[in-house]
Amino acid sequence: MWQLYQFPLCPLSRKTRLALSEKGVGYDLVHAYPWDAGDEFYALNPAGRTPVLHDPAKRLTLIDSQAICEYFEETVDKTPLILGNAVQRAEIRRLVALFDQNFFADVTHPLMHEKMKKRLVLRTSPDSGTLRSAMRLAHEHLEYIDWLVGNRRWLAGVQLSLADFAAAAQISVADYLGGIDWSGHDEAHGWYRVMKSRPSFRPLLTEKMEGLPPPRHYSDVNS
Ligand SMILES: N[C@@H](CCC(=O)N[C@@H](CS)C(=O)NCC(=O)O)C(=O)O
């Protein structure tokens, strides 16, 4: 059985979990907090980053959310997530990179640092300027999602793809941390409600980070 080393608010682990679930791949969760990880985790991934997927019986370790998603895309036929022709697959990969890297750097990572790490690890107060900037940048990303959803059926085109799961994974963590204001983003909000109501999303919405409860609306699929 696969073991997924992750922590509840790691957006890249969330993307991986959504893809595994959509593809019907079973796994056990192992909590690994990069700031407090033990030797066992560092032995698997000396870079100390989550997610890491490990199969002890096969002595196989997969590292990096995109490498893991691509591995299962190549080995499991069920629910293709990087699909279509070469141009369409390139567009899916472009958007996955945009959310994994840009949205993460602009919005999710600053929110995680200010609201999660400072509270649970560093025991200091969040910086309001950094939070304001993350929320302003979140609006810009949501505007782009409004445009994508308004012009296409799903983010990368006519079919649901890994781009939708990469974006929804980042937004779900930002939303947990109170960084998403949907005002003026009806199209993006409608798309996110649909993503939230998928069975693959349910375990993420009920999971909590110890010492850091989510806002009440977070797990409500209608809000
Ligand atoms: N490219 C990697 C990035 C993984 C990553 O940055 N994970 C974060 C948590 S969401 C982490 O482990 N950070 C620990 C650190 O920066 O020390 C992936 O997609 O898996």
Side-chain angles (χ1 to χ4, degrees):
M1 183 72 152
W2 290 104
Q3 297 178 328
L4 183 70
Y5 288 72
Q6 58 94 54
F7 61 96
L9 290 187
C10 168
L12 285 324
S13 300
R14 285 181 169 224
K15 177 187 85 172
T16 305
R17 289 173 67 178
L18 291 167
L20 292 176
S21 169
E22 293 284 338
K23 287 194 156 287
V25 177
Y27 58 88
D28 289 328
L29 287 177
V30 181
H31 283 282
Y33 301 98
W35 56 89
D36 189 25
D39 294 345
E40 181 195 325
F41 178 67
Y42 273 94
L44 292 176
N45 183 10
R49 288 173 183 258
T50 54
V52 172
L53 192 65
H54 179 58
D55 185 334
K58 291 189 184 141
R59 296 185 179 202
L60 183 58
T61 305
L62 304 176
I63 295 166
D64 185 278
S65 65
Q66 194 56 20
I68 297 169
C69 290
E70 299 264 359
Y71 172 87
F72 287 102
E73 191 64 16
E74 289 174 19
T75 56
V76 176
D77 289 339
K78 187 182 173 209
T79 321
L81 294 173
I82 305 173
L83 69 176
N85 62 30
V87 173
Q88 291 160 335
R89 295 198 303 278
E91 175 64 355
I92 292 166
R93 292 190 172 99
R94 176 186 79 84
L95 286 170
V96 169
L98 179 81
F99 291 106
D100 284 2
Q101 295 165 26
N102 298 52
F103 192 104
F104 181 63
D106 290 344
V107 181
T108 326
H109 186 264
L111 287 170
M112 288 166 74
H113 186 76
E114 296 302 323
K115 290 202 155 180
M116 179 190 75
K117 205 162 176 191
K118 282 191 172 175
R119 176 154 169 185
L120 301 179
V121 186
L122 305 172
R123 312 266 176 209
T124 54
S125 309
D127 178 71
S128 54
T130 305
L131 291 176
R132 267 198 307 277
S133 157
M135 288 188 73
R136 183 180 51 76
L137 291 169
H139 271 294
E140 291 182 14
H141 284 281
L142 291 178
E143 252 170 41
Y144 186 49
I145 294 176
D146 287 332
W147 184 87
L148 290 173
V149 175
N151 286 275
R152 306 164 166 191
R153 192 168 148 71
W154 297 96
L155 295 195
V158 290
Q159 310 219 57
L160 175 71
S161 76
L162 191 60
D164 297 279
F165 292 105
Q170 294 289 336
I171 290 172
S172 70
V173 174
D175 193 34
Y176 187 111
L177 295 169
I180 297 292
D181 174 2
W182 293 109
S183 328
H185 300 293
D186 290 348
E187 274 152 328
H189 197 183
W191 159 86
Y192 184 61
R193 280 200 201 98
V194 172
M195 294 304 293
K196 239 176 150 179
S197 63
R198 292 188 72 80
S200 60
F201 228 94
R202 230 162 272 151
L204 304 185
L205 294 175
T206 52
E207 201 178 9
K208 297 194 173 62
M209 187 86 183
E210 210 175 308
L212 194 59
R216 204 171 292 163
H217 73 264
Y218 165 77
S219 57
D220 181 354
V221 291
N222 298 312
S223 71

